[in-house]
Amino acid sequence: MKNYITLSDIESLDELINEALQLKKENSVPTLGKGKTLGMLFFNPSLRTRLSTEKAAKLLGMEVISMNVDKDGWALEFEDGAVMDSNKAEHIKEAAAVLSQYCDIIAVRAFPGLEDKEKDEAETVLNSFKKYASVPVINLESATGHPLQALTDAITITETKDKDRPKVVLTWAPHPKALPQSVPNSFVEVMQKMNVDLVIANPVGYDLNPEITKKTAVTHNQAEALKDADFVYVKSWSSYEQYGKVLKTDREWTLTKDKLGNSNSPKVMHCLPVRRNVVIADEVLDSQDSLVIQQAGNRTYAAQAVLKRLLESK
Ligand code: CP
């Protein structure tokens, strides 16, 4: 593996999931990363991604340096040929090259603006780091994808499922703020690679990018989708069609216990952070069917498996 920008950087998903589950079982021997440095750059906030990736690197023996670029760094220019006479003090060409002097792997979190679809889909920040860094780059959640979260989700379903081909439902949920489509995009992509029966349920106006969902059933009927589900993955996202807009704020789609009532007692997943009683009701999050903490715990092993692959490829 040369970089981990999208799920297509994974050569064998099954092998990577097994590697992560093996790392979860064994006490890591921190020799592979000895003398190596992971640099983590955050243009946006994080709890799980930041701490689990730092922990994963340390379990492999790496040093970790991190920076809140949005608050502490120079404002970066990404345009080629820009005349830099405004507020951008440093060009990505120098920034990425200099970071490559200090770091053996660079990891970047950069969310979308959710105003200009074309601009967000260009993934300028992440792709510029990939272009100008001379070391591998990891996506810590970008404008359109969150592949570390998706790998975690695949690991969690693999270790929890009790049938060969479980039914997995990705259901939209309300949220007061406009959220990116990155988590559901990557979740759909990773599930499409697994032996699961995947259904996406969302209100009219909230269909995800059809290029991503084209192989998957999409319904606007949440109750119908939830029937016989083995896993229910809950996530809020803003409209892709009316790009970045919040079209629905009532609680009709909030996941409550009565919606799961007489079905299979499905396992409930969410990437976190979650707004209680808006996205998922307390009674679901606090029940034995919630996997959210186990899922967050698995972030470490997903990151460790990816870092291990990148170190082994160097
Ligand atoms: N799930 C996730 O990426 O969490 P953070 O935003 O806290 O990193």
Side-chain angles (χ1 to χ4, degrees), residues 45-50 109 111 140-141 146 149 183 271-273 299:
S46 170
L47 187 153
R48 280 143 289 272
T49 306
R50 184 172 190 142
R109 167 167 279 202
F111 288 174
L140 296 176
E141 187 173 347
H146 196 352
Q149 180 67 53
V183 169
C271 62
L272 303 182
R299 292 294 306 268

Side-chain angles (χ1 to χ4, degrees), residues 31-305:
T31 49
L32 186 65
K34 212 168 158 41
K36 308 278 186 195
T37 300
L38 170 68
M40 294 201 293
L41 302 181
F42 290 87
F43 291 83
N44 306 94
S46 170
L47 187 153
R48 280 143 289 272
T49 306
R50 184 172 190 142
L51 299 183
S52 63
T53 308
E54 179 166 340
K55 180 171 177 183
K58 287 179 174 170
L59 285 168
L60 291 166
M62 299 184 83
E63 298 292 330
V64 180
I65 51 180
S66 52
M67 188 169 177
N68 298 321
V69 191
D70 56 331
K71 296 185 187 76
D72 303 327
W74 300 110
L76 291 178
E77 176 62 67
F78 289 92
E79 198 185 310
D80 252 356
V83 177
M84 292 173 57
D85 60 357
S86 64
N87 64 331
K88 309 277 177 64
E90 177 150 35
H91 201 279
I92 183 65
K93 285 185 183 181
E94 283 78 43
V98 169
L99 283 160
S100 304
Q101 301 289 306
Y102 309 147
C103 306
D104 299 277
I105 298 174
I106 297 172
V108 180
R109 167 167 279 202
F111 288 174
L114 289 178
E115 281 173 6
D116 181 337
K117 186 188 282 188
E118 208 176 312
K119 190 170 165 204
D120 288 345
E121 290 188 338
E123 293 279 18
T124 304
V125 176
L126 199 64
N127 286 331
S128 301
F129 274 100
K130 186 181 169 191
K131 184 171 176 186
Y132 294 116
S134 55
V135 298
V137 176
I138 296 179
N139 179 351
L140 296 176
E141 187 173 347
S142 66
T144 62
H146 196 352
L148 276 177
Q149 180 67 53
L151 178 58
T152 304
D153 301 334
I155 291 164
T156 307
I157 289 176
T158 301
E159 70 178 356
T160 310
K161 67 180 185 174
D162 58 10
K163 61 172 73 157
D164 278 349
R165 188 176 171 83
K167 178 177 176 183
V168 177
V169 178
L170 167 64
T171 180
W172 180 91
H175 197 284
K177 294 179 72 176
L179 297 188
Q181 296 100 25
S182 49
V183 169
N185 284 347
S186 293
F187 182 72
V188 169
E189 285 174 333
V190 83
M191 288 299 112
Q192 286 170 343
K193 294 174 190 289
M194 291 178 67
N195 185 26
V196 302
D197 176 14
L198 176 65
V199 178
I200 304 169
N202 57 257
V204 172
Y206 279 95
D207 287 0
L208 292 164
N209 181 350
E211 278 303 306
I212 293 174
T213 60
K214 60 187 172 193
K215 287 189 273 178
T216 297
V218 179
T219 173
H220 300 138
N221 184 334
Q222 190 187 38
E224 187 62 36
L226 291 175
K227 271 186 206 153
D228 301 322
D230 297 296
F231 292 90
V232 178
Y233 197 103
V234 191
K235 187 70 188 85
S236 314
W237 62 86
S238 58
S239 176
Y240 181 76
E241 295 162 52
Q242 295 183 54
Y243 191 66
K245 297 276 181 296
V246 175
L247 309 175
K248 187 171 170 61
T249 50
D250 63 57
R251 306 281 153 77
E252 194 192 349
W253 281 67
T254 301
L255 192 74
T256 56
K257 189 85 185 153
D258 61 312
K259 287 187 182 169
L260 301 173
N262 295 325
S263 62
N264 268 352
S265 213
K267 298 294 181 197
V268 176
M269 301 175 69
H270 188 283
C271 62
L272 303 182
V274 63
R275 294 204 182 212
R276 282 176 168 257
N277 303 311
V278 175
V279 178
I280 305 179
D282 278 345
E283 76 236 16
V284 176
L285 280 168
D286 296 333
S287 77
Q288 296 217 328
D289 294 325
S290 170
L291 292 183
V292 299
I293 303 303
Q294 177 182 333
Q295 198 181 343
N298 282 337
R299 292 294 306 268
T300 302
Y301 310 107
Q304 207 181 340

